Every structure is written in structure tokens, then in C-alpha cells.
Amino acid sequence: SAVISQKPSRDICQRGTSLTIQCQVDSQVTMMFWYRQQPGQSLTLIATANQGSEATYESGFVIDKFPISRPNLTFSTLTVSNMSPEDSSIYLCGVRTGAAGDTQYFGPGTRLTVL
Amino acid sequence: EDQVTQSPEALRLQEGESSSLNCSYTVSGLRGLFWYRQDPGKGPEFLFTLYSAGEEKEKERLKATLTKKESFLHITAPKPEDSATYLCAVGNSNYQLIWGAGTKLIIKP
């Protein structure tokens, strides 16, 4: 498995501002994923972040709104840009280590509230 | 289209009352079926990965089984601390996880 930390754990932001969420893993991982989980719902994949290449975004998510960086094999950031109340959600970082096959492990999440 | 359906949406049990949660799926190129536990305000906690029909895995009071169309998470003699939302996901040929909506399990003492 992998130990994953996220910063911040929660934040309250004003409409129109941006927030960058960090994901740190205690070991090198092949694939990192960013998910959104809205209240009472399951996980929705935003994008897949691979080191050394552009992130791959899912339908309905665009780079201008959710820019992602993956500077090395243990770290990634997700920025939520020009926020609106509809962006209020839990944002989760997931990783696939390779050693555990296709299993993904998750960080504790970042709870974002946009006023 | 890849799809995962979990049932029931919510399940209330008395402590010690055994039951099962269901996860039915359709997927192109199954790359594993995954069970997670999620407590309120926390990230999903990995429980099991199953790859082949007939495969079973156990952990404490939980046992996961897999057929070609569905998976069951059996919970034996549950305790209040087993209360959580249980999520099922399948891996597809694009290395993505397709998630079910979850089953909220409440165990009353």
C-alpha cells in the first residue's frame, strides 16, 4: 500500500478565487488520480496525472478549470480555479502503485466549501 | 457502457445480524473488482481486490466473493464500528475505476 497525505484538509473560499490542493505519497507511484466526491455521492474522476506528460481529463472537466501538475513520482497538485459554490465538494487524490496491480489507494481528502 | 450498481442504498442491521451487500457490474475488460470502506469525511479505505470469478477474500468479519456479473460483500456478526459506506468499483481496460453509488451500512447496538 501507500501512505498518502493531502493539504489542506479543508478550506472555505470565496467565489472567484482559486485553491491549490497538494497530494504527497510516501513512495514513488506510477499513476495518480484526482477525484471529486459531492455530498452523498460516489467518486467522479477528474483527471489522471502521469509524471512527465500532460494530465488526461475526463469528460466534463477541463484544464483551465482544474489545472494539474505532476513534477515527480511522489507529488501532484490540483488547482480549482475561479471557484463557484458548485465546486463545493471533497477532492480526493488516488494512487496506483503498480506493485498492488490495479488497486488504488486514497488520501484523506480535501473538503472545500465555496461561499 | 461500463456500469456498476450497488444495492441496497442503505442497510440497517442489529449488532450481530449478518447480511450481504451486492455489487452488480458490466465492464469491458475487467481489471479487478474493488471494495472500499468510507467513513464520513474521510477518503476510501481499501478492503479487497478480486480478479476472477469464484475468488473469495476475507478480512475479520468481511468476506468478498465474485461471479462473472456481481460481487457480494458478506458481513458476519457485525459490530457498530462496521457502520460506514461501502463502495464497489471495477477496473476497466483503460485502467480507470468505475464506481458504484455505495451502500450505507448502519449497525445498531
Side-chain angles (χ1 to χ4, degrees), chain A residues 31 33 35 37 40-45 48 58 90 92 96 100-109 111, chain B residues 6 31-32 34 36 38 40-46 49 51 87-88 91 94-97 99-102:
Chain A
M31 300 175 78
F33 306 87
Y35 290 85
Q37 186 176 29
Q41 298 189 20
S42 193
L43 282 69
T44 300
L45 181 64
T48 302
E58 297 303 303
I90 296 174
L92 291 159
R96 184 166 168 262
D102 296 295
T103 300
Q104 291 187 22
Y105 299 94
F106 290 88
R111 182 182 292 272
Chain B
Q6 291 188 248
R31 294 185 62 91
F34 308 89
Y36 292 84
Q38 187 173 29
K42 297 187 177 181
E45 174 190 347
F46 171 70
T49 302
Y51 284 105
L87 297 170
C88 171
N94 294 321
Y95 299 91
Q96 297 172 331
L97 292 186
W99 293 85

Short mmCIF file of all heavy atoms in Angstrom, two decimals, chain A residues 31 33 35 37 40-45 48 58 90 92 96 100-109 111, chain B residues 6 31-32 34 36 38 40-46 49 51 87-88 91 94-97 99-102:
data_model
loop_
_atom_site.label_atom_id
_atom_site.label_comp_id
_atom_site.label_asym_id
_atom_site.label_seq_id
_atom_site.Cartn_x
_atom_site.Cartn_y
_atom_site.Cartn_z
N MET A 31 0.85 6.00 -11.30
CA MET A 31 -0.28 6.81 -11.72
C MET A 31 -0.92 7.49 -10.53
O MET A 31 -1.09 6.88 -9.47
CB MET A 31 -1.32 5.94 -12.44
CG MET A 31 -0.78 5.25 -13.70
SD MET A 31 -1.97 4.13 -14.46
CE MET A 31 -3.02 5.31 -15.31
N PHE A 33 -4.36 9.98 -9.50
CA PHE A 33 -5.70 10.34 -9.97
C PHE A 33 -6.29 11.40 -9.05
O PHE A 33 -6.08 11.38 -7.84
CB PHE A 33 -6.62 9.11 -9.95
CG PHE A 33 -6.09 7.93 -10.70
CD1 PHE A 33 -5.24 7.01 -10.09
CD2 PHE A 33 -6.42 7.72 -12.03
CE1 PHE A 33 -4.75 5.91 -10.78
CE2 PHE A 33 -5.95 6.63 -12.73
CZ PHE A 33 -5.11 5.73 -12.11
N TYR A 35 -10.02 12.93 -7.92
CA TYR A 35 -11.45 12.67 -7.93
C TYR A 35 -12.18 13.80 -7.21
O TYR A 35 -11.63 14.48 -6.35
CB TYR A 35 -11.77 11.37 -7.17
CG TYR A 35 -11.34 10.10 -7.83
CD1 TYR A 35 -10.04 9.61 -7.65
CD2 TYR A 35 -12.22 9.35 -8.59
CE1 TYR A 35 -9.65 8.41 -8.23
CE2 TYR A 35 -11.84 8.15 -9.17
CZ TYR A 35 -10.55 7.69 -8.98
OH TYR A 35 -10.17 6.50 -9.55
N GLN A 37 -15.86 14.19 -4.99
CA GLN A 37 -16.97 13.47 -4.38
C GLN A 37 -17.92 14.50 -3.78
O GLN A 37 -17.61 15.11 -2.76
CB GLN A 37 -16.49 12.49 -3.31
CG GLN A 37 -17.60 11.62 -2.76
CD GLN A 37 -17.11 10.58 -1.78
OE1 GLN A 37 -16.11 10.78 -1.10
NE2 GLN A 37 -17.80 9.45 -1.70
N GLY A 40 -22.94 13.04 -0.41
CA GLY A 40 -23.86 11.92 -0.56
C GLY A 40 -23.69 11.15 -1.86
O GLY A 40 -24.51 10.26 -2.15
N GLN A 41 -22.66 11.45 -2.63
CA GLN A 41 -22.48 10.77 -3.91
C GLN A 41 -21.17 10.00 -3.95
O GLN A 41 -20.35 10.08 -3.05
CB GLN A 41 -22.54 11.79 -5.05
CG GLN A 41 -23.87 12.52 -5.16
CD GLN A 41 -23.97 13.35 -6.41
OE1 GLN A 41 -23.24 13.15 -7.38
NE2 GLN A 41 -24.87 14.31 -6.41
N SER A 42 -21.03 9.24 -5.01
CA SER A 42 -19.81 8.45 -5.15
C SER A 42 -18.71 9.28 -5.81
O SER A 42 -18.86 10.48 -6.02
CB SER A 42 -20.11 7.20 -5.97
OG SER A 42 -19.03 6.29 -5.87
N LEU A 43 -17.61 8.65 -6.13
CA LEU A 43 -16.46 9.35 -6.66
C LEU A 43 -16.58 9.57 -8.17
O LEU A 43 -17.01 8.68 -8.90
CB LEU A 43 -15.18 8.55 -6.40
CG LEU A 43 -14.59 8.60 -4.99
CD1 LEU A 43 -15.46 7.89 -3.98
CD2 LEU A 43 -13.18 8.04 -4.99
N THR A 44 -16.17 10.74 -8.62
CA THR A 44 -16.11 11.07 -10.04
C THR A 44 -14.67 11.43 -10.39
O THR A 44 -14.09 12.31 -9.77
CB THR A 44 -17.03 12.26 -10.37
OG1 THR A 44 -18.38 11.93 -10.03
CG2 THR A 44 -16.96 12.60 -11.85
N LEU A 45 -14.13 10.74 -11.38
CA LEU A 45 -12.75 11.00 -11.79
C LEU A 45 -12.66 12.32 -12.54
O LEU A 45 -13.40 12.53 -13.51
CB LEU A 45 -12.24 9.85 -12.66
CG LEU A 45 -10.81 9.95 -13.16
CD1 LEU A 45 -9.83 9.92 -11.99
CD2 LEU A 45 -10.50 8.82 -14.14
N THR A 48 -6.37 12.02 -14.76
CA THR A 48 -5.25 11.14 -14.43
C THR A 48 -3.96 11.92 -14.66
O THR A 48 -3.79 12.52 -15.74
CB THR A 48 -5.27 9.90 -15.32
OG1 THR A 48 -6.51 9.22 -15.14
CG2 THR A 48 -4.12 8.96 -14.97
N GLU A 58 -11.20 13.83 -17.84
CA GLU A 58 -12.44 13.13 -18.16
C GLU A 58 -13.44 14.12 -18.75
O GLU A 58 -13.32 15.34 -18.58
CB GLU A 58 -13.01 12.47 -16.92
CG GLU A 58 -12.10 11.40 -16.33
CD GLU A 58 -11.78 10.32 -17.33
OE1 GLU A 58 -12.72 9.70 -17.86
OE2 GLU A 58 -10.58 10.08 -17.57
N ILE A 90 -15.69 17.26 -1.82
CA ILE A 90 -14.46 16.67 -1.30
C ILE A 90 -13.61 16.27 -2.51
O ILE A 90 -14.10 15.62 -3.43
CB ILE A 90 -14.74 15.43 -0.43
CG1 ILE A 90 -15.52 15.84 0.82
CG2 ILE A 90 -13.44 14.73 -0.03
CD1 ILE A 90 -15.96 14.67 1.68
N LEU A 92 -10.32 14.21 -3.77
CA LEU A 92 -9.53 13.07 -3.34
C LEU A 92 -8.41 12.78 -4.31
O LEU A 92 -8.61 12.80 -5.53
CB LEU A 92 -10.42 11.82 -3.23
CG LEU A 92 -11.46 11.82 -2.12
CD1 LEU A 92 -12.56 10.83 -2.43
CD2 LEU A 92 -10.81 11.48 -0.79
N ARG A 96 -2.01 4.65 -7.87
CA ARG A 96 -1.86 3.25 -8.27
C ARG A 96 -0.37 2.97 -8.21
O ARG A 96 0.41 3.61 -8.91
CB ARG A 96 -2.41 3.06 -9.67
CG ARG A 96 -2.40 1.65 -10.18
CD ARG A 96 -3.26 1.54 -11.43
NE ARG A 96 -3.04 0.27 -12.10
CZ ARG A 96 -2.22 0.11 -13.13
NH1 ARG A 96 -1.58 1.14 -13.64
NH2 ARG A 96 -2.06 -1.06 -13.67
N ALA A 100 0.74 -3.21 -6.45
CA ALA A 100 -0.54 -3.75 -6.00
C ALA A 100 -1.48 -3.94 -7.17
O ALA A 100 -2.69 -3.94 -7.00
CB ALA A 100 -1.15 -2.83 -4.95
N GLY A 101 -0.95 -4.10 -8.38
CA GLY A 101 -1.78 -4.28 -9.55
C GLY A 101 -2.61 -3.05 -9.83
O GLY A 101 -2.08 -1.93 -9.85
N ASP A 102 -3.91 -3.24 -10.01
CA ASP A 102 -4.77 -2.12 -10.38
C ASP A 102 -5.43 -1.46 -9.18
O ASP A 102 -6.23 -0.55 -9.34
CB ASP A 102 -5.85 -2.61 -11.35
CG ASP A 102 -5.23 -3.08 -12.65
OD1 ASP A 102 -4.67 -2.23 -13.36
OD2 ASP A 102 -5.30 -4.28 -12.94
N THR A 103 -5.08 -1.89 -7.98
CA THR A 103 -5.68 -1.31 -6.78
C THR A 103 -5.26 0.14 -6.63
O THR A 103 -4.09 0.49 -6.83
CB THR A 103 -5.24 -2.11 -5.54
OG1 THR A 103 -5.67 -3.46 -5.69
CG2 THR A 103 -5.84 -1.52 -4.28
N GLN A 104 -6.21 0.99 -6.28
CA GLN A 104 -5.92 2.39 -5.98
C GLN A 104 -6.06 2.62 -4.49
O GLN A 104 -6.95 2.07 -3.83
CB GLN A 104 -6.87 3.32 -6.73
CG GLN A 104 -6.63 3.35 -8.24
CD GLN A 104 -7.46 4.41 -8.94
OE1 GLN A 104 -7.91 5.38 -8.33
NE2 GLN A 104 -7.67 4.23 -10.24
N TYR A 105 -5.18 3.46 -3.98
CA TYR A 105 -5.23 3.89 -2.59
C TYR A 105 -5.50 5.38 -2.57
O TYR A 105 -5.11 6.11 -3.48
CB TYR A 105 -3.92 3.56 -1.87
CG TYR A 105 -3.61 2.09 -1.87
CD1 TYR A 105 -2.81 1.53 -2.86
CD2 TYR A 105 -4.14 1.25 -0.89
CE1 TYR A 105 -2.54 0.17 -2.88
CE2 TYR A 105 -3.88 -0.11 -0.90
CZ TYR A 105 -3.08 -0.64 -1.90
OH TYR A 105 -2.83 -1.98 -1.91
N PHE A 106 -6.15 5.83 -1.48
CA PHE A 106 -6.63 7.20 -1.45
C PHE A 106 -6.10 7.98 -0.26
O PHE A 106 -5.85 7.43 0.81
CB PHE A 106 -8.17 7.21 -1.40
CG PHE A 106 -8.77 6.77 -2.69
CD1 PHE A 106 -9.02 5.44 -2.93
CD2 PHE A 106 -9.05 7.69 -3.69
CE1 PHE A 106 -9.56 5.01 -4.13
CE2 PHE A 106 -9.58 7.28 -4.90
CZ PHE A 106 -9.83 5.94 -5.12
N GLY A 107 -5.97 9.29 -0.51
CA GLY A 107 -5.66 10.20 0.58
C GLY A 107 -6.90 10.48 1.40
O GLY A 107 -8.00 10.04 1.08
N PRO A 108 -6.71 11.29 2.46
CA PRO A 108 -7.83 11.58 3.36
C PRO A 108 -8.84 12.56 2.79
O PRO A 108 -9.93 12.71 3.34
CB PRO A 108 -7.14 12.18 4.59
CG PRO A 108 -5.87 12.76 4.04
CD PRO A 108 -5.45 11.86 2.93
N GLY A 109 -8.49 13.23 1.68
CA GLY A 109 -9.42 14.15 1.06
C GLY A 109 -9.26 15.59 1.53
O GLY A 109 -8.71 15.85 2.61
N ARG A 111 -11.76 18.85 1.97
CA ARG A 111 -13.15 19.32 1.97
C ARG A 111 -13.17 20.79 1.64
O ARG A 111 -12.66 21.61 2.39
CB ARG A 111 -13.82 19.06 3.32
CG ARG A 111 -15.29 19.49 3.36
CD ARG A 111 -15.88 19.25 4.74
NE ARG A 111 -15.98 17.84 5.03
CZ ARG A 111 -17.01 17.07 4.72
NH1 ARG A 111 -18.04 17.60 4.07
NH2 ARG A 111 -17.03 15.80 5.04
N GLN B 6 -24.92 -0.77 -7.02
CA GLN B 6 -24.86 -1.34 -5.68
C GLN B 6 -26.25 -1.34 -5.05
O GLN B 6 -27.02 -0.42 -5.22
CB GLN B 6 -23.90 -0.56 -4.79
CG GLN B 6 -22.45 -0.72 -5.19
CD GLN B 6 -21.51 -0.10 -4.18
OE1 GLN B 6 -20.85 0.89 -4.47
NE2 GLN B 6 -21.47 -0.68 -2.98
N ARG B 31 -10.58 -5.46 -15.05
CA ARG B 31 -9.25 -5.43 -14.46
C ARG B 31 -9.40 -5.30 -12.95
O ARG B 31 -8.82 -4.42 -12.32
CB ARG B 31 -8.41 -4.29 -15.04
CG ARG B 31 -8.08 -4.43 -16.51
CD ARG B 31 -7.16 -3.31 -16.95
NE ARG B 31 -5.89 -3.35 -16.24
CZ ARG B 31 -4.83 -4.01 -16.66
NH1 ARG B 31 -4.87 -4.67 -17.81
NH2 ARG B 31 -3.70 -4.01 -15.97
N GLY B 32 -10.23 -6.17 -12.42
CA GLY B 32 -10.37 -6.22 -10.97
C GLY B 32 -11.66 -5.60 -10.48
O GLY B 32 -12.19 -4.66 -11.09
N PHE B 34 -13.15 -4.02 -6.85
CA PHE B 34 -12.55 -3.46 -5.63
C PHE B 34 -13.65 -3.08 -4.65
O PHE B 34 -14.65 -2.48 -5.02
CB PHE B 34 -11.72 -2.22 -5.97
CG PHE B 34 -10.72 -2.46 -7.07
CD1 PHE B 34 -11.07 -2.27 -8.39
CD2 PHE B 34 -9.44 -2.88 -6.77
CE1 PHE B 34 -10.17 -2.50 -9.42
CE2 PHE B 34 -8.53 -3.11 -7.79
CZ PHE B 34 -8.89 -2.92 -9.10
N TYR B 36 -14.22 -0.92 -1.05
CA TYR B 36 -13.66 0.08 -0.15
C TYR B 36 -14.67 0.38 0.95
O TYR B 36 -15.88 0.29 0.74
CB TYR B 36 -13.36 1.39 -0.88
CG TYR B 36 -12.24 1.32 -1.88
CD1 TYR B 36 -12.46 0.88 -3.18
CD2 TYR B 36 -10.95 1.73 -1.54
CE1 TYR B 36 -11.43 0.83 -4.11
CE2 TYR B 36 -9.91 1.69 -2.46
CZ TYR B 36 -10.16 1.23 -3.73
OH TYR B 36 -9.14 1.19 -4.65
N GLN B 38 -15.75 3.62 3.44
CA GLN B 38 -15.55 5.06 3.60
C GLN B 38 -16.32 5.55 4.81
O GLN B 38 -17.54 5.40 4.88
CB GLN B 38 -15.97 5.84 2.35
CG GLN B 38 -15.61 7.31 2.43
CD GLN B 38 -15.87 8.06 1.15
OE1 GLN B 38 -16.76 7.72 0.38
NE2 GLN B 38 -15.09 9.13 0.89
N PRO B 40 -17.47 8.86 7.20
CA PRO B 40 -17.82 10.25 6.88
C PRO B 40 -16.63 11.20 6.97
O PRO B 40 -15.87 11.16 7.93
CB PRO B 40 -18.88 10.59 7.94
CG PRO B 40 -19.50 9.28 8.29
CD PRO B 40 -18.36 8.29 8.22
N GLY B 41 -16.44 12.00 5.93
CA GLY B 41 -15.37 13.00 5.93
C GLY B 41 -13.99 12.45 5.68
O GLY B 41 -13.00 13.18 5.80
N LYS B 42 -13.89 11.17 5.30
CA LYS B 42 -12.57 10.55 5.07
C LYS B 42 -12.49 9.96 3.67
O LYS B 42 -13.51 9.76 3.01
CB LYS B 42 -12.30 9.47 6.11
CG LYS B 42 -12.22 9.99 7.54
CD LYS B 42 -11.78 8.91 8.48
CE LYS B 42 -11.63 9.45 9.90
NZ LYS B 42 -11.17 8.41 10.85
N GLY B 43 -11.27 9.66 3.24
CA GLY B 43 -11.08 9.01 1.96
C GLY B 43 -11.42 7.54 2.03
O GLY B 43 -11.46 6.94 3.11
N PRO B 44 -11.70 6.91 0.88
CA PRO B 44 -11.99 5.47 0.88
C PRO B 44 -10.80 4.65 1.39
O PRO B 44 -9.66 4.93 1.03
CB PRO B 44 -12.27 5.18 -0.60
CG PRO B 44 -12.65 6.50 -1.19
CD PRO B 44 -11.84 7.50 -0.44
N GLU B 45 -11.12 3.66 2.19
CA GLU B 45 -10.11 2.74 2.73
C GLU B 45 -10.22 1.42 1.99
O GLU B 45 -11.28 0.79 1.97
CB GLU B 45 -10.35 2.53 4.22
CG GLU B 45 -9.44 1.48 4.86
CD GLU B 45 -9.89 1.13 6.28
OE1 GLU B 45 -10.72 1.88 6.84
OE2 GLU B 45 -9.41 0.12 6.81
N PHE B 46 -9.13 0.97 1.40
CA PHE B 46 -9.13 -0.25 0.61
C PHE B 46 -9.42 -1.47 1.47
O PHE B 46 -8.86 -1.62 2.57
CB PHE B 46 -7.78 -0.41 -0.08
CG PHE B 46 -7.59 -1.73 -0.74
CD1 PHE B 46 -8.30 -2.07 -1.88
CD2 PHE B 46 -6.71 -2.67 -0.21
CE1 PHE B 46 -8.13 -3.30 -2.49
CE2 PHE B 46 -6.54 -3.89 -0.81
CZ PHE B 46 -7.25 -4.22 -1.96
N THR B 49 -9.43 -6.68 -3.34
CA THR B 49 -9.43 -6.74 -4.79
C THR B 49 -9.71 -8.17 -5.20
O THR B 49 -9.10 -9.11 -4.68
CB THR B 49 -8.07 -6.32 -5.39
OG1 THR B 49 -7.74 -5.02 -4.96
CG2 THR B 49 -8.14 -6.36 -6.91
N TYR B 51 -10.19 -10.67 -8.74
CA TYR B 51 -9.90 -10.65 -10.17
C TYR B 51 -10.65 -11.70 -10.97
O TYR B 51 -10.92 -11.49 -12.16
CB TYR B 51 -8.39 -10.84 -10.40
CG TYR B 51 -7.57 -9.62 -10.11
CD1 TYR B 51 -6.79 -9.53 -8.96
CD2 TYR B 51 -7.56 -8.53 -10.98
CE1 TYR B 51 -6.04 -8.40 -8.69
CE2 TYR B 51 -6.81 -7.39 -10.71
CZ TYR B 51 -6.05 -7.34 -9.57
OH TYR B 51 -5.31 -6.22 -9.30
N LEU B 87 -18.15 1.01 -0.70
CA LEU B 87 -18.10 1.34 -2.12
C LEU B 87 -17.51 0.18 -2.92
O LEU B 87 -16.55 -0.46 -2.49
CB LEU B 87 -17.23 2.58 -2.35
CG LEU B 87 -17.71 3.88 -1.71
CD1 LEU B 87 -16.62 4.95 -1.80
CD2 LEU B 87 -18.98 4.37 -2.37
N CYS B 88 -18.09 -0.05 -4.07
CA CYS B 88 -17.62 -1.06 -5.01
C CYS B 88 -17.17 -0.35 -6.29
O CYS B 88 -17.80 0.62 -6.71
CB CYS B 88 -18.75 -2.04 -5.31
SG CYS B 88 -18.42 -3.20 -6.64
N GLY B 91 -12.36 -2.10 -12.35
CA GLY B 91 -11.34 -1.56 -13.24
C GLY B 91 -11.64 -1.96 -14.66
O GLY B 91 -11.96 -3.14 -14.91
N ASN B 94 -9.20 0.61 -19.70
CA ASN B 94 -8.47 1.88 -19.76
C ASN B 94 -7.80 2.22 -18.43
O ASN B 94 -7.38 3.35 -18.22
CB ASN B 94 -9.40 3.02 -20.16
CG ASN B 94 -9.92 2.88 -21.58
OD1 ASN B 94 -9.17 2.47 -22.47
ND2 ASN B 94 -11.17 3.22 -21.78
N TYR B 95 -7.74 1.23 -17.52
CA TYR B 95 -7.11 1.43 -16.21
C TYR B 95 -7.87 2.43 -15.35
O TYR B 95 -7.32 3.00 -14.43
CB TYR B 95 -5.64 1.86 -16.33
CG TYR B 95 -4.78 0.85 -17.04
CD1 TYR B 95 -4.58 0.90 -18.41
CD2 TYR B 95 -4.18 -0.17 -16.32
CE1 TYR B 95 -3.79 -0.04 -19.06
CE2 TYR B 95 -3.39 -1.12 -16.95
CZ TYR B 95 -3.21 -1.03 -18.32
OH TYR B 95 -2.44 -1.97 -18.96
N GLN B 96 -9.15 2.63 -15.65
CA GLN B 96 -9.98 3.52 -14.84
C GLN B 96 -10.82 2.69 -13.88
O GLN B 96 -11.11 1.53 -14.14
CB GLN B 96 -10.88 4.36 -15.74
CG GLN B 96 -10.15 5.29 -16.66
CD GLN B 96 -11.08 5.95 -17.65
OE1 GLN B 96 -12.09 5.38 -18.02
NE2 GLN B 96 -10.75 7.16 -18.07
N LEU B 97 -11.24 3.31 -12.79
CA LEU B 97 -12.17 2.69 -11.87
C LEU B 97 -13.56 3.25 -12.12
O LEU B 97 -13.74 4.47 -12.17
CB LEU B 97 -11.76 2.93 -10.42
CG LEU B 97 -10.48 2.26 -9.93
CD1 LEU B 97 -10.30 2.49 -8.44
CD2 LEU B 97 -10.50 0.77 -10.23
N TRP B 99 -17.18 3.49 -10.50
CA TRP B 99 -17.65 3.40 -9.12
C TRP B 99 -19.16 3.20 -9.03
O TRP B 99 -19.93 3.77 -9.82
CB TRP B 99 -17.29 4.67 -8.36
CG TRP B 99 -15.84 4.85 -8.17
CD1 TRP B 99 -14.96 5.42 -9.05
CD2 TRP B 99 -15.07 4.42 -7.05
NE1 TRP B 99 -13.69 5.37 -8.53
CE2 TRP B 99 -13.73 4.77 -7.30
CE3 TRP B 99 -15.38 3.78 -5.85
CZ2 TRP B 99 -12.69 4.50 -6.40
CZ3 TRP B 99 -14.36 3.52 -4.95
CH2 TRP B 99 -13.04 3.88 -5.23
N GLY B 100 -19.56 2.41 -8.05
CA GLY B 100 -20.96 2.35 -7.66
C GLY B 100 -21.29 3.50 -6.72
O GLY B 100 -20.40 4.22 -6.26
N ALA B 101 -22.58 3.65 -6.43
CA ALA B 101 -23.03 4.76 -5.58
C ALA B 101 -22.84 4.47 -4.10
O ALA B 101 -22.95 5.38 -3.28
CB ALA B 101 -24.49 5.07 -5.87
N GLY B 102 -22.56 3.21 -3.76
CA GLY B 102 -22.30 2.88 -2.36
C GLY B 102 -23.51 2.35 -1.62
O GLY B 102 -24.66 2.59 -2.01
#
